[in-house]
Amino acid sequence: MSPILESSDSGIERDTRQTTMSTPENDADLKRQAADTLHVEMIPGTEIMRDVNNIHFSHAKGSQETVLIPTPSSDPKDPLNWSLTWKLMVIASQLIFTWVSVTGALSIAPMFPLLGMEFHLNVPQLSLLTGVTVITLGYANFIIVPLSNIFGRRPISIVFAVLIVLTCIWEALATSHSSLLAARALNGVVCATSESIMVQVIADVFFLHERGLWTGVYFTGYFLGAFLGPVMSGNIAARHGWRSFFWLEVALSVFAAIVLVVSFPETKFHREHPTRAPSSMGGSMNSDAEPMEKRPSVGERHAPEGERSATSSSSLVGLGRPGKVQFSAYQKPDSRWKMFIVRDTITPIRVFFNPIIFWAGLMLAGPADLVLLWNLTESQFLSGPPYNWNPSQVGYANFSFVIGGLLGLATAGPFSDWVAKRATKRNNGIREAEMRLPALIPYLALTVIAIVVGGLGYERLWPWQAVLVLGYALSGLAVTTVPTIAIAYAIDCYKPISGEIMVVATVLKNTLGFAYSYWVFGLAAQKGFLTVAMVQFAVTIGPALFAIPLYFYGKSLRRWTKDSDLHRMEDMI
């Protein structure tokens, strides 16, 4: 029997009567009582997704109401309690910021011919202009994640948005290859906020059952920047010169910074966790918050109105909004800043080889670097015979990625949530993190087609329609679906370290991507591009095969780390 299904079968059929449970002192006690009643082994990544204060044991008639995880506080300024309008405003502002950042950082490939002529560069030197940005994008998160935990998501986003403006000005004014290379490196450092902060924001404002969808939205916004940027750069460079593209990025970065100032409140919120009394840890970034009331039990919060206890308070979910202090330009640094520096620097290194997190990182790296492979080579491939496209036409080829990415946005998050929800229902309302993994199957099959068709198309000079539709478009679909499901799974298992998970994933992705600057063109010249495609096939599909043992034994891996202090790091936020 799969370990995923081991948690809820025993004892469920013994009693079909409604069970009345004594009111526990807090939600943690309530969940423990429910777990004992249902004979569920509660370890991180296993959740009771039903009203545990009103449990029916019948599969047919059991209560299947969704429990809110994490538990929101009774403060209307808690981001979990914000209205949908405010949550969408937060996500939209971060999406714009992410899109603009990625557009400037990863979009110069169509301009390679123009840059090569101006600075007399060969192909490896040109590809290094992308490679150096890719590597700094990954490793800068060792700085950004602790900064966002110390000073907050809002101040760090705004400061780095201003720094992006300055580096784009440098890129536009560069007069030598070395100057442009240095500007590109620093641009990667300051654009690295696009790699981690939005994932933290999603964990700040959305509940567990919503994160699959919004993780997909994030990856789509991120990669739409990588897809549409080359369209813009190719067309602008062909008509107005390559410097004009960077001046456009200056204007877009200014706009993104203004959007953040106006519509992005602070989302980091230190709520008192039900497993302990209010402490003197300090550092809460919500000094205008009202004293917390005694919160209702999970059952009181979700029970029908007539069944709620007379002493319970109404749920504030969907009714709250940010307070004035959350819009402050400056947030008081968290008094535990030393702890965050140590924790956020050491934790990514510590969890790097955690099997689940390392696997999720590889599942981001494979599809992302597949798109990078096409991005690095599209100009050389499409500008030569038999196609002979100009930079503008090469830029338009990236619309194929956009179409595939949008299809991924429309399907990956909802589909993975639906797969997990359906499996949860069959499992009597008990969700295991591994229930997301079967959603990978159709997307991995399409990824195989993308690699094979793209590699053969490059090698045999197939008609551009085949390369762009099946190679590029399906790669765009892969990069917005496979990482969405894999990263959401890792975050389900280790929710308190969502930022650190993204650090591990981006380091893997960007280290491999940086290496592409050195080996892709040399190997293609010696062995042909089909060999390059097969290396990419191994990097992308090889790790995906480990989803099978993870599905069956992932809970065992989670059990080994169930007592780790990684699961208590959420209390520190």
Side-chain angles (χ1 to χ4, degrees):
M1 177 184 295
S2 166
I4 290 180
L5 301 177
E6 71 183 11
S7 56
S8 62
D9 291 338
S10 59
I12 292 175
E13 302 290 352
R14 293 180 301 174
D15 190 354
T16 58
R17 298 170 299 174
Q18 180 174 340
T19 299
T20 302
M21 300 167 59
S22 60
T23 303
E25 294 182 357
N26 54 50
D27 290 347
D29 291 339
L30 182 63
K31 291 180 181 179
R32 280 193 292 270
Q33 289 187 22
D36 291 341
T37 304
L38 292 171
H39 300 276
V40 178
E41 182 185 11
M42 292 298 295
I43 61 176
T46 300
E47 302 289 355
I48 301 176
M49 305 298 291
R50 65 151 99 184
D51 184 344
V52 295
N53 231 13
N54 187 29
I55 296 175
H56 295 259
F57 293 110
S58 168
H59 284 283
K61 298 181 180 180
S63 170
Q64 297 294 334
E65 295 187 46
T66 299
V67 173
L68 300 181
I69 302 168
T71 304
S73 71
S74 57
D75 188 338
K77 300 176 187 66
D78 184 341
L80 291 173
N81 289 329
W82 289 352
S83 67
L84 181 60
T85 299
W86 277 106
K87 292 185 178 185
L88 291 178
M89 188 179 299
V90 165
I91 293 300
S93 60
Q94 275 291 324
L95 273 178
I96 291 171
F97 179 44
T98 297
W99 185 85
V100 170
S101 302
V102 176
T103 298
L106 300 177
S107 303
I108 69 168
M111 302 191 297
F112 280 172
L114 300 177
L115 292 168
M117 286 188 293
E118 176 148 352
F119 296 124
H120 308 289
L121 306 177
N122 56 34
V123 172
Q125 288 175 317
L126 287 169
S127 62
L128 189 60
L129 291 172
T130 295
V132 71
T133 307
V134 167
I135 195 69
T136 54
L137 270 171
Y139 286 88
N141 285 288
F142 282 102
I143 302 171
I144 291 171
V145 171
L147 286 177
S148 71
N149 282 330
I150 295 169
F151 295 99
R153 325 299 189 211
R154 174 179 166 85
I156 296 305
S157 295
I158 293 173
V159 168
F160 275 74
V162 173
L163 293 176
I164 290 172
V165 174
L166 297 178
T167 57
C168 288
I169 292 174
W170 184 356
E171 289 173 308
L173 297 176
T175 57
S176 67
H177 176 242
S178 59
S179 177
L180 182 58
L181 194 64
R184 296 285 298 162
L186 287 178
N187 183 255
V189 171
V190 296
C191 286
T193 47
S194 63
E195 303 270 3
S196 57
I197 283 189
M198 188 167 172
V199 176
Q200 293 177 300
V201 170
I202 289 171
D204 289 340
V205 303
F206 290 110
F207 296 103
L208 172 66
H209 64 281
E210 301 170 314
R211 290 177 184 168
L213 169 63
W214 293 106
T215 302
V217 170
Y218 159 67
F219 280 118
T220 301
Y222 180 97
F223 287 108
L224 280 179
F227 301 159
L228 287 174
V231 177
M232 297 161 52
S233 68
N235 280 275
I236 292 173
R239 291 169 171 79
H240 306 289
W242 62 269
R243 296 181 191 276
S244 297
F245 170 71
F246 291 119
W247 286 119
L248 173 64
E249 280 301 310
V250 171
L252 290 175
S253 300
V254 170
F255 172 73
I258 293 172
V259 169
L260 289 174
V261 170
V262 172
S263 61
F264 179 57
E266 181 56 56
T267 62
K268 183 190 173 190
F269 188 93
H270 182 68
R271 61 185 64 87
E272 298 297 342
H273 293 268
T275 55
R276 54 179 171 80
S279 69
S280 57
M281 292 179 71
S284 174
M285 306 188 68
N286 306 286
S287 58
D288 63 340
E290 300 174 0
M292 291 181 59
E293 304 168 358
K294 182 181 183 299
R295 74 183 64 161
S297 68
V298 175
E300 288 172 329
R301 201 164 41 240
H302 297 286
E305 192 67 32
E307 296 179 16
R308 287 180 182 170
S309 167
T311 61
S312 68
S313 61
S314 300
S315 172
L316 292 174
V317 175
L319 302 177
R321 58 174 296 157
K324 290 182 180 179
V325 73
Q326 290 167 308
F327 273 102
S328 299
Y330 173 77
Q331 303 284 347
K332 182 180 179 181
D334 198 302
S335 61
R336 303 160 294 165
W337 61 271
K338 293 180 181 178
M339 177 271 293
F340 279 120
I341 291 176
V342 174
R343 191 201 81 165
D344 294 335
T345 303
I346 299 300
T347 301
I349 300 173
R350 175 184 168 191
V351 304
F352 190 85
F353 292 107
N354 175 292
I356 291 174
I357 295 173
F358 187 76
W359 174 81
L362 290 176
M363 294 297 282
L364 170 61
D369 289 333
L370 171 62
V371 172
L372 178 63
L373 175 64
W374 305 139
N375 184 267
L376 286 173
T377 56
E378 63 183 2
S379 185
Q380 183 183 26
F381 174 68
L382 294 172
S383 62
Y387 313 104
N388 299 315
W389 288 9
N390 59 40
S392 178
Q393 292 172 313
V394 172
Y396 281 130
N398 289 271
F399 272 123
S400 298
F401 297 123
V402 174
I403 295 171
L406 291 176
L407 288 174
L409 170 64
T411 59
F415 180 60
S416 69
D417 285 341
W418 177 80
V419 168
K421 184 176 181 180
R422 186 177 177 86
T424 301
K425 186 176 181 179
R426 290 198 304 267
N427 203 34
N428 197 41
I430 310 304
R431 173 172 290 188
E432 303 289 356
E434 289 74 25
M435 289 175 176
R436 284 190 189 276
L437 296 181
L440 286 169
I441 295 172
Y443 298 118
L444 288 173
L446 294 175
T447 304
V448 170
I449 296 174
I451 300 172
V452 172
V453 171
L456 287 172
Y458 270 37
E459 180 78 11
R460 301 179 182 179
L461 301 178
W462 282 359
W464 64 265
Q465 293 91 336
V467 176
L468 267 58
V469 173
L470 294 178
Y472 286 14
L474 291 184
S475 296
L477 177 72
V479 83
T480 55
T481 54
V482 174
T484 293
I485 297 168
I487 295 295
Y489 165 61
I491 293 175
D492 284 351
C493 297
Y494 299 96
K495 291 185 287 291
I497 56 170
S498 57
E500 289 80 358
I501 289 171
M502 282 306 299
V503 171
V504 171
T506 54
V507 164
L508 282 169
K509 169 176 72 73
N510 292 14
T511 300
L512 289 173
F514 176 71
Y516 281 35
S517 305
Y518 292 95
W519 69 266
V520 166
F521 295 101
L523 183 61
Q526 293 178 11
K527 301 290 186 180
F529 206 88
L530 186 60
T531 302
V532 173
M534 290 303 98
V535 173
Q536 184 62 48
F537 184 92
V539 171
T540 306
I541 303 303
L545 298 177
F546 287 93
I548 298 172
L550 271 179
Y551 178 78
F552 290 101
Y553 302 109
K555 186 168 184 176
S556 297
L557 294 176
R558 290 188 283 120
R559 187 180 292 118
W560 293 345
T561 60
K562 67 183 177 65
D563 297 322
S564 170
D565 60 357
L566 295 175
H567 300 294
R568 295 187 290 277
M569 287 186 178
E570 191 172 31
D571 294 0
M572 303 176 187
I573 301 297

